[in-house]
Amino acid sequence: MKTPWIMLLAGLGCAGLAQAQTTITVATVNNPDMVTMQKMTKAFNEAHPDIKVNYVTLAENELRQKITTDISSGGGQYDVITVSNYETPIWAKNGWLKAMDHLPESYRVDDLIPSVRQGLSYEGKPYALPFYAESSMTYYRKDLFEKAGIEMPDQPTWSQIEEFAQKVHDPKNGVYGICLRGLPGWGENMALFSTMVNSFGGRWFNEQWEPQLTSQEWKNAANAYKTMLTQYGPPGSTSNGFTESETLFANGQCGMWVDSTVAAGYLSNPDNSKVSDQVGFARAPHEKTEAGSSWLYAWALAVPESADHPEAAQTFVDWATSADYIQSVADQYGWLSVPPGTRESTYESQGYQDVAPFAGLVEKAIQSADPEHPTADPVPYTGIQFISIPQFQAIGTRVGQIMAGILSGQTSVDQGLDQAQAFTERLMRRADVAK
C-alpha cells in the first residue's frame, strides 16, 4: 500500500515544479527571421527550463494595432513585444517601456551598430534591443537583365528602374517587371513610398509643420509609383506587403524588387529561393536627390511596463538579440539565415562574408542612412520612411489607404493627394504639433 503514496507524493512534487515555471507571452511578426526565432526556442528552453515561451504571431499591420492598443491601455497582455525604431522613443517617453540599461557585460552593447542602437534609445538609454535591422536596396534578376541587354547601375534612378521594368516585363511567362509594396499601412506601402517622395525631392512637412502632400514632388513620385505597379507589376499589388513580395521574387516572378535589405539572405538561399543564383544587388534608387532614398528600420524586442513577468521577459530578450544567438542560428541553419543588421561582429565574420556577397552593401546602407537629415529641403522632424511623432501612425495609415486607392483606380493621383493633404491638415490642427 506504500507505493501509491510514494507515487502520489512524487506527482505532487512534479506539479509543484510545473507551477513554478513562468510563462511569458511574446508578440511578434510573421517574418522569416521571427519564424526562425521560434524554431530556436528549444535552445532557450534548455538553458532556462523555468521559463516557457508562448508566441502570438501576427501580420505586420495587425501586430502594430494590437500591441499599440495593449500598451497604451496598460493591458499587460504581452511580456515581450516586437517594436521598431518608430515606436520605441515615443513609447519610452510615455513611460510605457522598461529601460534596458543594466545589461550584462557579456551582452556586448558596443557591438551593436551605432545608428541602430541610437534609434532604439531615449535620453541616452536603450528601451528595446534590435532583433534585426535593415535599410532598403534594389534586387534584380541578373539572367533577365542579361537577356534584355541591360545593366543595373550601382545606384539606379527611379526613372531607370521604370525603364528596366518595361524591358523585363513578361507576364505571359509569369514574370512581372517589378514588385513593390502596395499593401496599405504606414509600415507597409508608405515605408517604400516615403523614400520615393524623399528621393524625388519631396517632404511630408515644411519647417512650419505645414503638410506638403500636394507638391509637385509628391505628384511625380505618386505617378511613377502608379505607372510601375499598374503597368509592370503583378496583379493585385494592393495585397502585397513585404512578405508577399519576398515570396513573389523568390518564386521567380519579379524582374526587380525594391525593399528591405533583410531579404538578401533569404533570396540568396537555395532552400528558399528558386532564383538564388541569379539575384543581383544594387543600392536603393534615387531620383533628384540621394537624401532619404533608403530607409533605416529595426525590428526590436521590448518589455512593456505592464508586463506580468518582466525579469523572465528580459532574459528572453537578452538571449534572442545576443551575438551568441546569431552564432547559434549560423551553426544550425547557415549564415544566410542569421538576423542581419544589428551587430558589427556579424559583418566581421568570415563565415558571413563567404556566403553573403551583399554584406558590404547592406552594412554601408544601414550605417549611412541619416534620420536626422531625411530630405533635400529642411524639415522639423526626424525619420526617413516615417516621422517621429505619435500622429504619424494615423497619418501614414490613412495616406497608405489612399495610395492603395490610387493603384486600384478608385481615385486619380491628384484627387488622392488632395484627400491625403486635407486629412493630414485636419489631424495636425487637432494635435497642434507646431507648439
Side-chain angles (χ1 to χ4, degrees):
M1 295 294 292
K2 291 182 180 180
T3 303
W5 283 104
I6 293 172
M7 292 175 66
L8 177 61
L9 289 171
L12 288 172
C14 291
L17 287 172
Q19 289 172 356
Q21 189 177 53
T22 299
T23 299
I24 60 172
T25 300
V26 179
T28 192
V29 69
N30 61 346
N31 289 352
D33 287 285
M34 279 67 172
V35 173
T36 300
M37 177 175 67
Q38 294 176 51
K39 294 178 181 177
M40 295 293 295
T41 307
K42 182 180 178 182
F44 176 79
N45 291 335
E46 290 173 353
H48 304 281
D50 56 327
I51 303 174
K52 180 182 178 182
V53 183
N54 175 44
Y55 288 100
V56 176
T57 306
L58 302 166
E60 196 165 319
N61 286 342
E62 187 179 2
L63 173 82
R64 289 193 175 100
Q65 182 182 20
K66 285 187 178 295
I67 64 171
T68 300
T69 300
D70 184 72
I71 198 168
S72 61
S73 64
Q77 188 175 353
Y78 310 113
D79 297 287
V80 177
I81 54 175
T82 304
V83 295
S84 71
N85 48 325
Y86 166 67
E87 297 99 345
T88 299
I90 296 173
W91 290 1
K93 182 179 180 181
N94 290 346
W96 294 348
L97 300 176
K98 289 189 174 294
M100 297 184 172
D101 53 348
H102 296 291
L103 296 167
E105 186 176 342
S106 60
Y107 185 80
R108 298 166 58 196
V109 173
D110 291 343
D111 185 38
L112 297 175
I113 292 176
S115 60
V116 176
R117 185 175 61 190
Q118 182 180 353
L120 298 170
S121 300
Y122 173 67
E123 294 185 339
K125 294 182 180 180
Y127 281 82
L129 297 177
F131 182 70
Y132 73 72
E134 62 187 46
S135 185
S136 51
M137 66 192 296
T138 303
Y139 302 97
Y140 67 99
R141 288 271 300 277
K142 292 185 290 186
D143 54 336
L144 298 181
F145 269 58
E146 183 178 354
K147 181 180 177 181
I150 52 179
E151 187 173 341
M152 177 69 76
D154 291 337
Q155 186 180 18
T157 65
W158 279 107
S159 296
Q160 288 174 316
I161 291 292
E162 183 177 328
E163 177 186 339
F164 297 155
Q166 181 182 14
K167 291 184 176 180
V168 299
H169 188 54
D170 188 11
K172 290 182 179 179
N173 290 305
V175 176
Y176 304 98
I178 189 165
C179 293
L180 298 171
R181 298 189 193 191
L183 182 70
W186 72 264
E188 282 284 6
N189 61 347
M190 292 312 297
L192 182 278
F193 185 67
S194 292
T195 63
M196 288 188 68
V197 169
N198 295 340
S199 72
F200 275 79
R203 51 186 175 168
W204 277 90
F205 298 95
N206 64 16
E207 290 181 280
Q208 289 72 47
W209 285 104
E210 295 169 339
Q212 303 293 295
L213 281 65
T214 53
S215 67
Q216 191 59 51
E217 291 83 5
W218 268 77
K219 292 178 181 178
N220 291 343
N223 277 306
Y225 177 68
K226 178 182 178 181
T227 297
M228 283 185 283
L229 276 179
T230 56
Q231 294 188 22
Y232 314 119
S237 290
T238 56
S239 297
N240 296 335
F242 167 79
T243 304
E244 295 80 9
S245 300
E246 182 180 54
T247 300
L248 283 167
F249 194 100
N251 286 338
Q253 295 172 270
C254 306
M256 290 180 294
W257 180 36
V258 180
D259 211 298
S260 166
T261 56
V262 77
Y266 185 90
L267 297 179
S268 300
N269 190 337
D271 292 339
N272 309 318
S273 174
K274 295 178 181 178
V275 294
S276 59
D277 60 341
Q278 295 297 335
V279 183
F281 310 95
R283 294 173 64 187
H286 66 294
E287 189 64 20
K288 289 177 61 177
T289 177
E290 294 183 18
S293 59
S294 58
W295 68 61
L296 178 64
Y297 195 77
W299 274 123
L301 301 178
V303 179
E305 279 288 352
S306 56
D308 287 339
H309 308 291
E311 291 184 7
Q314 185 66 58
T315 299
F316 176 83
V317 172
D318 293 354
W319 167 79
T321 62
S322 67
D324 288 342
Y325 172 86
I326 292 173
Q327 183 64 56
S328 296
V329 174
D331 292 342
Q332 188 160 344
Y333 296 104
W335 276 103
L336 286 176
S337 295
V338 304
T342 61
R343 291 182 172 271
E344 293 177 343
S345 57
T346 300
Y347 294 91
E348 293 167 357
S349 166
Q350 190 61 51
Y352 190 63
Q353 293 176 21
D354 288 345
V355 298
F358 48 81
L361 178 63
V362 172
E363 184 181 20
K364 183 177 179 181
I366 292 172
Q367 291 180 335
S368 62
D370 187 1
E372 300 292 326
H373 304 92
T375 57
D377 292 330
V379 290
Y381 56 83
T382 60
I384 299 173
Q385 80 283 19
F386 58 76
I387 299 168
S388 296
I389 57 174
Q391 295 76 18
F392 182 72
Q393 192 163 354
I395 292 170
T397 297
R398 179 62 188 132
V399 177
Q401 292 167 348
I402 291 170
M403 291 306 302
I406 290 173
L407 287 182
S408 62
Q410 296 174 9
T411 184
S412 68
V413 167
D414 287 355
Q415 290 170 336
L417 293 183
D418 284 345
Q419 295 170 17
Q421 174 83 4
F423 175 86
T424 306
E425 286 176 347
R426 286 196 305 271
L427 193 146
M428 295 298 284
R429 278 198 302 269
R430 290 200 301 268
D432 209 3
V433 172
K435 287 187 178 181

